[in-house]
Amino acid sequence: MTIQEQFIEALRLEEQGNVTEALQLYIQILQIDNSFRAALINLGSLYYRMKQFNHALDCFLRALQLKEDYIVLFNIGSLYFRLGEYKKAIIILNKCSTSNPDFYIALLVKGIAFSKINNYKAALGCFKEVIKKDPANKVALTAIILLYYEQKNYTDALRYLQQYDRYHDSFRFREITSDIILQCAQYNDEKLISHSLQKKGFRQFNEYISTIPHTIFNDSKGTIDTKIQQLEQEIQKEPTPQAFISLSLCHLFVGNNQTALQYLVKATKAV
């Protein structure tokens, strides 16, 4: 059998699921011709699937020495990532993106690698570039939402949640969305309050609120019922947006959803 026929046989074995036999045949081919690039790439892919990452990396690095292309660069970058060598992964994935700017999966992995070394600014930049090329990309959108949320940047978190909503079911973000709405009310953000009134999941927000114990509002100034009375008196004297918001939140906590909604509406009008 010629070396080319051996390669075709290795491909057939691989397609049939005979991974061990295919692997041995690729090794034999490379013993005959260590510059057989296709065999190196296929052997590297097999090692990768077998989670033998160091062996896979060796194969792809040898393939890269023979010829550089963005797929091999991506495989090397992904392997460095899997091995926890995030800075090396970023360097190689940069080369991959330069080689093929349209291959945005490299940006995605690079963004995750930046996250692993706590460079969240660079990570956000990568994920946003992915969104420019693929607006519905679930991984990138999820990463952006969570990063902004953890940074307490609720305005931008909500903006990307709205984009996520256009393409995917956002049930997984129910509690995050609810907390963002709660935070926007706390910080008196008219735009976010308006969104909270339009949000289809407003009932889910109420359910989230109801899970928080009423005692959270109890302090040296009294119970939540006392606070409601105090806020109602305050509004009669000076109807400020913050007073309306505070009163709305108090009513949410005791389950007066309709009243809470009315006070949120009044808050937007008082801005």
Side-chain angles (χ1 to χ4, degrees):
M1 230 184 336
T2 66
I3 193 169
Q4 191 61 43
E5 289 172 336
Q6 285 181 299
F7 181 72
I8 293 170
E9 176 63 14
L11 288 175
R12 187 186 66 79
L13 289 167
E14 192 175 344
E15 289 172 0
Q16 291 178 345
N18 298 321
V19 175
T20 303
E21 292 180 40
L23 186 142
Q24 292 301 323
L25 194 47
Y26 285 131
I27 291 173
Q28 289 178 29
I29 292 168
L30 290 166
Q31 287 173 343
I32 298 168
D33 181 2
N34 62 7
S35 66
F36 200 126
R37 191 171 182 272
L40 273 170
I41 290 171
N42 286 11
L43 181 59
S45 298
L46 281 180
Y47 278 133
Y48 190 98
R49 280 150 49 190
M50 297 166 69
K51 301 189 186 307
Q52 295 186 31
F53 300 132
N54 284 307
H55 288 313
L57 181 60
D58 178 64
C59 290
F60 287 121
L61 286 171
R62 287 164 61 190
L64 185 65
Q65 289 177 343
L66 295 170
K67 180 184 175 183
E68 183 173 304
D69 66 61
Y70 74 95
I71 293 296
V72 170
L73 285 167
F74 176 73
N75 287 333
I76 293 170
S78 298
L79 281 161
Y80 277 134
F81 179 89
R82 295 296 295 267
L83 291 167
E85 298 189 49
Y86 303 120
K87 291 182 179 179
K88 286 184 179 180
I90 290 165
I91 292 169
I92 295 297
L93 291 167
N94 273 335
K95 292 182 179 180
C96 176
S97 295
T98 301
S99 178
N100 186 350
D102 294 326
F103 188 65
Y104 62 83
I105 303 301
L107 281 169
L108 200 58
V109 178
K110 186 169 71 170
I112 299 170
F114 272 124
S115 299
K116 291 287 189 179
I117 59 174
N118 300 322
N119 189 340
Y120 299 120
K121 183 177 180 180
L124 273 171
C126 291
F127 296 136
K128 286 180 180 180
E129 284 299 313
V130 173
I131 296 305
K132 286 179 183 178
K133 299 175 186 296
D134 179 16
N137 191 281
K138 186 179 285 189
V139 175
L141 283 170
T142 300
I144 292 170
I145 291 163
L146 293 177
L147 281 170
Y148 274 135
Y149 176 72
E150 290 174 6
Q151 293 171 7
K152 294 182 170 46
N153 185 340
Y154 300 116
T155 301
D156 284 329
L158 186 62
R159 180 159 57 89
Y160 282 96
L161 264 169
Q162 290 171 315
Q163 182 168 340
Y164 189 101
D165 273 342
R166 289 200 290 271
Y167 302 104
H168 312 290
D169 178 11
S170 62
F171 178 80
R172 65 178 299 185
F173 292 116
R174 181 182 64 179
E175 290 198 5
I176 288 178
T177 305
S178 301
D179 187 48
I180 288 171
I181 294 170
L182 183 64
Q183 295 293 340
C184 83
Q186 179 181 348
Y187 293 110
N188 191 22
D189 190 319
E190 180 181 3
K191 178 182 175 183
L192 300 188
I193 294 168
S194 175
H195 177 75
S196 75
L197 301 179
Q198 300 166 12
K199 186 74 178 171
K200 291 186 294 184
F202 189 75
R203 182 175 300 171
Q204 295 171 348
F205 174 50
N206 294 338
E207 291 170 358
Y208 169 73
I209 292 294
S210 69
T211 65
I212 304 173
H214 294 174
T215 53
I216 196 170
F217 266 103
N218 293 352
D219 55 24
S220 60
K221 295 182 181 178
T223 66
I224 190 169
D225 292 328
T226 303
K227 291 186 192 305
I228 288 175
Q229 291 177 3
Q230 292 171 345
L231 286 166
E232 286 175 343
Q233 292 172 4
E234 182 182 329
I235 284 171
Q236 289 177 359
K237 296 178 183 177
E238 187 178 359
T240 63
Q242 190 57 48
F244 280 122
I245 291 167
S246 298
L247 190 53
S248 173
L249 290 173
C250 286
H251 278 290
L252 276 174
F253 272 94
V254 296
N256 298 331
N257 299 336
Q258 190 60 41
T259 305
L261 184 61
Q262 291 171 359
Y263 281 119
L264 270 179
V265 172
K266 289 179 181 180
T268 60
K269 292 179 180 179
V271 174

